[in-house]
């Protein structure tokens, strides 16, 4: 296992609080999964910027991924392969962190998300 624990930045925590309020989704890990997948759907590689782990929101990889944690890891590895990025444990952890934070930012800044229905409709809108 290359990613054991995830600690979010304070900015991501604040963005998740906003998303929790708008969607009614109570659990950080559920919103984090959405954010991760939204970032993976973006074709560009997330910018390699420093992301502090300065919030008190922390979860294990298994809590993040739930019963599908192995699937999320396989998807991350495939995305790294597509982007020409190494899949050693450090690179996977870094890419996961970048995708997670980028995706949370995307969701938080999307003013069309005003409810859980709007969030669920997102993947369908992207494929129209």
């Amino acid at each position: 296992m290359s990613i054991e624990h995830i600690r979010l930045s304070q900015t991501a925590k604040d963005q998740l609080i906003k998303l929790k309020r708008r969607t009614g989704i109570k659990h950080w890990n559920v919103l984090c999964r959405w954010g991760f997948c939204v970032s993976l759907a973006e074709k560009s590689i997330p910018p390699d910027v420093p992301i502090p782990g300065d919030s008190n929101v922390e979860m294990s990889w298994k809590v993040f991924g739930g019963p599908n944690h192995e699937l999320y890891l396989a998807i991350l590895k495939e995305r790294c392969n597509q982007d020409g990025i190494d899949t050693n444990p450090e690179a996977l952890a870094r890419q996961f962190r970048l995708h997670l934070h980028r995706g949370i930012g995307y969701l938080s800044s999307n003013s069309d998300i005003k409810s859980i229905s709007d969030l669920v409709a997102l993947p369908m809108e992207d494929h129209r």
Side-chain angles (χ1 to χ4, degrees), residues 39-47 75-87 95 98-99 102:
S39 179
L40 289 176
E42 175 73 33
K43 292 183 180 178
S44 66
I45 298 172
I75 292 170
L76 178 62
K77 285 180 179 176
E78 178 57 27
R79 176 59 192 259
C80 286
N81 285 329
Q82 289 176 1
D83 292 341
I85 296 171
D86 199 345
T87 56
Q95 287 303 303
L98 292 171
H99 277 289
R102 178 171 77 170

Side-chain angles (χ1 to χ4, degrees), residues 15-91:
Q15 292 168 328
L16 286 175
I17 289 170
K18 183 174 152 185
L19 284 167
K20 286 173 84 171
R21 189 174 45 246
R22 290 182 357 206
T23 64
I25 295 174
K26 295 179 182 176
H27 301 287
W28 303 111
N29 60 326
V30 174
L31 287 168
C32 285
R33 289 178 204 154
W34 274 92
F36 178 63
C37 291
V38 164
S39 179
L40 289 176
E42 175 73 33
K43 292 183 180 178
S44 66
I45 298 172
D48 191 10
V49 296
I51 300 172
D54 57 350
S55 80
N56 61 355
V57 176
E58 185 175 16
M59 67 189 84
S60 71
W61 174 257
K62 288 186 178 178
V63 168
F64 164 78
N68 297 317
H69 65 94
E70 291 177 0
L71 176 63
Y72 287 110
L73 184 59
I75 292 170
L76 178 62
K77 285 180 179 176
E78 178 57 27
R79 176 59 192 259
C80 286
N81 285 329
Q82 289 176 1
D83 292 341
I85 296 171
D86 199 345
T87 56
N88 66 51
E90 294 78 24

